[in-house]
Amino acid sequence: MTFSQWGQVALVCLLGAMSPGPSLAVVLRNTVAGGRLQGLATGVGHGLGMLFYALVAVAGLVTLFQTIPHFFEIAQWLGAAFLTWLGVQMIRGGWHELQAPPVAPPDALPPSGRRGFVEGFLIAFLNPKIAAWLLALFSQFVHPEAAWSEQAVLVSTVGGIDMSWYSLVVVLASSGNWIERLRRHKPRLDLGMGALLLLLAFSMAGRSLWELAS
């Protein structure tokens, strides 16, 4: 793989990470709720989820789809279910905070790096479109004679760019007085982000039903 080809892969991965979606919503939500530590843990978990799919894509995702019946459909439903659960949790939490005064200041809420990591990993792991996207991307650059070093470069590029982008988002969001502003509006942000995740989940489920019916 030439440096020019690697640059193309890196650019596509960066643009994919920058596109708004459920991953960004979860990273921002955890940054607001638990501060920089929880936000960074979410970004790392998401990056490892991307890394997993990159490994699977390089190893031959087509074979996996062909050998496991309805694997793609099952992964779609699992992803929609997880997004639904996460969206409901955000909406419930935001609604309760709007209805009752806080019992403790936001800074007193303990951060949870483990929770952020798990949510970040699952939001990537339960999104089968990431696998399909990486398979399409890698098909342009991986050839049968590709050495392990080339494959390792591709995989690490995907995971590294994803982690770096979301870490940058977390650092910017938690710098200065931005985190205080975000925390003051946390209930409304939770409601909005929860609604966004529910819309995405229903959209995924709707597309799955349409594909089954067609």
Side-chain angles (χ1 to χ4, degrees):
M1 176 185 294
T2 65
F3 181 79
S4 176
Q5 291 175 323
W6 176 86
Q8 295 175 35
V9 173
L11 179 59
V12 172
C13 291
L14 179 60
L15 293 176
M18 292 174 65
S19 61
S23 300
L24 180 61
V26 171
V27 169
L28 287 176
R29 185 258 186 181
N30 281 332
T31 303
V32 173
R36 183 173 293 184
L37 173 63
Q38 188 165 318
L40 288 174
T42 307
V44 171
H46 191 275
L48 289 179
M50 293 288 293
L51 197 69
F52 168 81
Y53 272 130
L55 284 169
V56 173
V58 170
L61 191 56
V62 172
T63 302
L64 190 60
F65 285 152
Q66 292 176 347
T67 55
I68 301 180
H70 308 296
F71 174 79
F72 187 77
E73 290 81 1
I74 293 172
Q76 278 189 315
W77 283 106
L78 286 175
F82 177 69
L83 288 179
T84 301
W85 175 82
L86 201 57
V88 169
Q89 293 297 110
M90 287 184 178
I91 291 175
R92 288 181 58 187
W95 179 254
H96 287 315
E97 288 186 37
L98 281 176
Q99 295 301 308
V103 297
D107 290 330
L109 298 176
S112 175
R114 182 174 64 178
R115 174 185 172 183
F117 177 85
V118 171
E119 289 187 356
F121 179 81
L122 289 179
I123 202 69
F125 179 75
L126 295 178
N127 187 353
K129 287 188 175 181
I130 292 178
W133 174 70
L134 287 176
L135 180 63
L137 174 63
F138 286 169
S139 66
Q140 308 300 315
F141 300 97
V142 176
H143 51 86
E145 299 80 19
W148 280 105
S149 58
E150 287 189 41
Q151 299 178 30
V153 167
L154 284 174
V155 170
S156 59
T157 297
V158 172
I161 287 179
D162 190 84
M163 287 185 196
S164 299
W165 168 251
Y166 285 118
S167 296
L168 176 62
V169 169
V170 170
V171 170
L172 293 176
S174 59
S175 298
N177 61 352
W178 277 100
I179 194 67
E180 285 76 16
R181 294 179 182 177
L182 290 172
R183 282 176 175 168
R184 282 199 297 270
H185 298 284
K186 178 181 178 295
R188 294 177 179 82
L189 288 172
D190 281 351
L191 289 173
M193 292 179 183
L196 171 63
L197 292 183
L198 287 180
L199 286 174
L200 290 170
F202 294 155
S203 176
M204 290 174 62
R207 281 195 298 269
S208 297
L209 290 174
W210 177 263
E211 290 172 0
L212 287 176
S214 61

